[in-house]
Amino acid sequence: MAERITPRHENYSQWYIDIVLQAKLADYSPVKGCMVIRPRGYALWEKIQQIIDGMFKETGHSNAYFPILIPESFIQKEAEHVEGFAPECAVVTHAGGEELEEPLFLRPTSETIIWSMYKKWIQSYRDLPILINQWANVLRWEKRTRLFLRTTEFLWQEGHTAHATSEEAVEETLRMLNVYKKFAEEYMAIPVLTGKKSESEKFAGAVDTYTIEAMMQDKKALQAGTSHFLGQKFAKAFDVTYQTRDGNLEYVWATSWGVSTRLIGTLIMAHSDDKGLVIPPKLAPTEVVIIPIYKTGNKVKVVDYAKRVYESIKGSYSTEFDDDDQYSPGWKFTEWEIRGVPVRVEVGPKDMGADEVTLVRRDTGERTLVKVSQVVEKIKTLMEDIQNSLFLRALEFRKGNTRPISDYEEFKQYFESDGGFAESFWCGSSDCEERIKEETKTTIRVIPFNQPEKPGTCIVCGEKAEQQVVFARAY
RNA sequence: CGGGAUGUAGCCUAGUGGCUAAGGCGCCUGCUUUGGGAGCAGGAGAUCGGAGGUUCAAAUCCUCUCAUCCCGACCA
């Protein structure tokens, strides 16, 4: 008997760890807070990269690469930025056997080094916009780490764009937020709320931070991607100006936006179950697995038959043929369920007799008999079904665990029992935000774009409030 | 960084001062099996997280240290 996966209702954190380790997505590394992304985890990341990168290219961006080492003085140029990041940075002080004259920071994010370069590259409005993305690793010295969700080193992409006008930069910020929303919903099958972050939750150095916010199966919120309007802060810090058409000098407007390997953690916590990983078809590195079921006497015949099925499927789907002789079919079923492969094709003597195969979908476990001649077509429908129903299930779950609440006592009770998302009005004061965080451990996850017609009263102080926001406990 | 827990073979666990550190899973060999984690036989694998100390004697007691997990504070 292999190790069991801790059921979600017993211990959600442990369940998550069990999935990551047993599906062999990642492993702990010898270095505190770091992880090794194993081939199956990395295959997922490559799939995510490939799709999102295509979306970046479609919206006019190019990839580039900037160094991991950043001079200390650069980090310190933007006041809020340094305040936000300096405490969690690792710094190289020695190299080549000598102490460095100026310490070099391992990048926690690349705004500063990139804007030092933009200063060299931008002189005129003709040089704008610059639309650059980089795929990179970054390092943040976190106190408390969790596989994929928060590690000391993680992989991400960071887009950094430079624009002539504020309007253009804001437009870019929202465009990329929508790219993230589209990716989350159409590929990851995870519904997300979009909107702005409150002052206290925004990125250090941003004017405005926008977020895609998802609900996990334990009803906690998770920020899955952010897009920042940086205004002219970094342009001013690095003195990046351009000459306008009519000869004036103006500071450049900036955006930055990113998603990370955290998306893999998000994916796990949104869809997986007590049997293991559940991967939406559009992100599955392996879409179909074929398992021949034979006895010693009929092995050759069954494997032959299964192989023909494999031949007919593999052109259309990323397919694995598991004819390993050492493990029983039951063992294989369990194993491929842990790995989260969306569709399993069982091929045994019974199926062979009827010129059929058995299809089993990972999300519901539902079995269907289908003629070999129709198998590719049927898998196509199944894949679409799984993709859609994962999304709908997550959407229903979020809806069922979201409540408008206007009374603070009711709010407290809500989070003492079930919890979830609370839609409540907020007057905008950081005092009220701070108080509700202290008293209920909830934070403002997002100030949604979609606002009710009528204003209300602040959930905390009862004063008139223009904005309705979403409160939740968060990762 | 505070509070708690844990660390014994690849994994899970027993052993709470005394003989050669025990068992299950996994792994290797062979045979038999195979429609939901198969069976039998044989075998390999551990300086008990690390360092120091107490003792005739330490996995076991003490000190320090490291790592992981859980709960907080801080963060993508």
Side-chain angles (χ1 to χ4, degrees):
Chain A
M1 189 64 70
E3 309 123 88
R4 94 196 171 112
I5 295 171
T6 306
R8 280 163 293 186
H9 65 83
E10 209 173 279
N11 182 342
Y12 191 82
S13 303
Q14 192 57 47
W15 165 79
Y16 174 79
I17 293 161
D18 288 351
I19 300 268
V20 172
L21 296 179
Q22 289 193 37
K24 297 190 168 71
L25 299 179
D27 206 346
Y28 293 107
S29 84
V31 181
K32 181 177 167 62
C34 291
M35 69 171 172
V36 175
I37 303 176
R38 302 182 69 175
R40 282 186 211 151
Y42 204 79
L44 260 177
W45 181 236
E46 285 179 316
K47 197 89 184 181
I48 289 168
Q49 279 188 303
Q50 175 206 327
I51 295 161
I52 287 199
D53 198 65
M55 294 165 95
F56 294 161
K57 302 281 167 59
E58 270 171 32
T59 43
H61 302 85
S62 307
N63 287 330
Y65 186 78
F66 297 83
I68 192 171
L69 295 170
I70 301 179
E72 182 178 37
S73 55
F74 282 25
I75 298 278
Q76 287 174 343
K77 279 198 174 164
E78 210 289 318
E80 291 173 46
H81 192 65
V82 64
E83 194 184 324
F85 278 108
E88 52 184 280
C89 283
V91 185
V92 179
T93 55
H94 290 73
E98 289 173 25
E99 185 168 352
L100 296 172
E101 267 187 40
E102 180 176 6
L104 297 171
F105 277 51
L106 292 167
R107 65 178 161 225
T109 179
S110 303
E111 273 77 6
T112 57
I113 195 148
I114 288 179
W115 279 84
S116 75
M117 297 309 296
Y118 283 1
K119 177 179 171 58
K120 294 171 76 171
W121 299 343
I122 299 168
Q123 277 95 42
S124 133
Y125 71 94
R126 294 176 199 271
D127 298 322
L128 296 171
I130 294 183
L131 305 174
I132 283 180
N133 174 65
Q134 89 164 341
W135 290 96
N137 58 339
V138 286
L139 212 79
R140 297 180 188 175
W141 217 256
E142 298 292 349
K143 307 282 186 198
R144 189 177 171 185
T145 57
R146 279 155 74 75
L147 295 166
F148 286 115
L149 295 175
R150 176 166 292 107
T151 45
T152 298
E153 181 190 17
F154 58 95
L155 306 184
W156 77 347
Q157 59 67 216
E158 45 182 328
H160 294 273
T161 68
H163 306 265
T165 66
S166 171
E167 294 70 32
E168 223 184 275
V170 170
E171 191 185 321
E172 166 78 1
T173 309
L174 297 177
R175 177 184 303 118
M176 300 323 287
L177 186 74
N178 277 322
V179 163
Y180 290 156
K181 179 180 169 70
K182 182 176 176 176
F183 177 76
E185 299 195 330
E186 290 183 16
Y187 292 87
M188 298 182 64
I190 300 173
V192 291
L193 298 176
T194 54
K196 203 187 270 194
K197 283 290 189 186
S198 72
E199 208 46 32
S200 69
E201 295 277 332
K202 76 175 194 196
F203 168 73
V207 173
D208 287 313
T209 289
Y210 297 88
T211 179
I212 55 169
E213 208 76 19
M215 181 186 278
M216 302 294 96
Q217 293 184 69
D218 61 353
K219 302 174 194 171
K220 282 166 83 172
L222 190 146
Q223 177 178 309
T226 49
S227 187
H228 314 288
F229 171 59
L230 301 174
Q232 295 175 311
K233 289 188 179 189
F234 286 92
K236 285 179 178 165
F238 286 87
D239 190 32
V240 186
T241 57
Y242 72 99
Q243 198 159 25
T244 62
R245 190 183 287 267
D246 45 17
N248 296 320
L249 278 186
E250 304 271 2
Y251 283 111
V252 177
W253 298 83
T255 83
S256 71
W257 27 274
V259 294
S260 70
T261 34
R262 179 180 241 202
L263 286 180
I264 295 174
T266 312
L267 191 71
I268 297 165
M269 289 206 297
H271 296 310
S272 295
D273 60 24
D274 292 345
K275 292 199 275 187
L277 203 56
V278 174
I279 308 177
K282 286 188 183 176
L283 286 184
T286 301
E287 298 166 289
V288 179
V289 60
I290 299 176
I291 299 177
I293 298 154
Y294 48 79
K295 296 185 196 299
T296 310
N298 61 19
K299 179 176 171 180
V300 177
K301 270 187 181 168
V302 173
V303 170
D304 258 19
Y305 177 71
K307 236 174 215 162
R308 287 210 302 280
V309 176
Y310 173 56
E311 293 297 326
S312 70
I313 295 175
K314 75 172 187 191
S316 314
Y317 294 96
S318 158
T319 308
E320 292 220 30
F321 183 61
D322 186 358
D323 63 345
D324 191 310
D325 217 17
Q326 301 306 306
Y327 297 99
S328 68
W331 194 94
K332 292 178 186 175
F333 297 166
T334 312
E335 175 62 22
W336 287 98
E337 278 166 0
I338 292 172
R339 297 192 198 181
V341 173
V343 172
R344 175 171 79 235
V345 182
E346 301 178 6
V347 184
K350 290 180 217 158
D351 307 297
M352 187 168 67
D355 211 28
E356 292 177 335
V357 297
T358 304
L359 301 185
V360 186
R361 53 189 284 180
R362 174 62 182 87
D363 59 337
T364 61
E366 189 192 343
R367 315 169 82 89
T368 331
L369 283 171
V370 57
K371 292 286 177 196
V372 173
S373 56
Q374 288 161 10
V375 71
V376 171
E377 202 182 323
K378 181 65 190 174
I379 290 175
K380 181 167 185 278
T381 345
L382 253 189
M383 293 294 193
E384 285 165 6
D385 272 8
I386 295 171
Q387 186 78 32
N388 290 335
S389 74
L390 285 176
F391 178 79
L392 288 174
R393 195 170 64 180
L395 184 62
E396 287 307 311
F397 183 79
R398 190 187 74 194
K399 280 184 182 167
N401 290 290
T402 301
R403 265 182 30 201
I405 300 179
S406 53
D407 175 70
Y408 195 31
E409 284 310 310
E410 187 189 341
F411 185 96
K412 285 179 180 167
Q413 273 177 12
Y414 180 60
F415 284 103
E416 270 164 30
S417 54
D418 269 12
F421 285 3
E423 296 171 327
S424 303
F425 278 92
W426 170 56
C427 64
S429 91
S430 55
D431 285 350
C432 287
E433 187 182 8
E434 186 58 33
R435 186 178 149 200
I436 205 164
K437 185 178 173 183
E438 294 251 318
E439 293 180 359
T440 67
K441 309 284 178 210
T442 65
T443 49
I444 297 172
R445 300 319 305 157
V446 58
I447 306 163
F449 291 126
N450 297 327
Q451 285 289 331
E453 306 260 313
K454 307 181 279 200
T457 56
C458 177
I459 183 80
V460 184
C461 66
E463 296 293 312
K464 191 165 171 251
E466 301 288 331
Q467 299 171 315
Q468 194 184 56
V469 304
V470 174
F471 285 95
R473 301 217 167 103
Y475 278 96

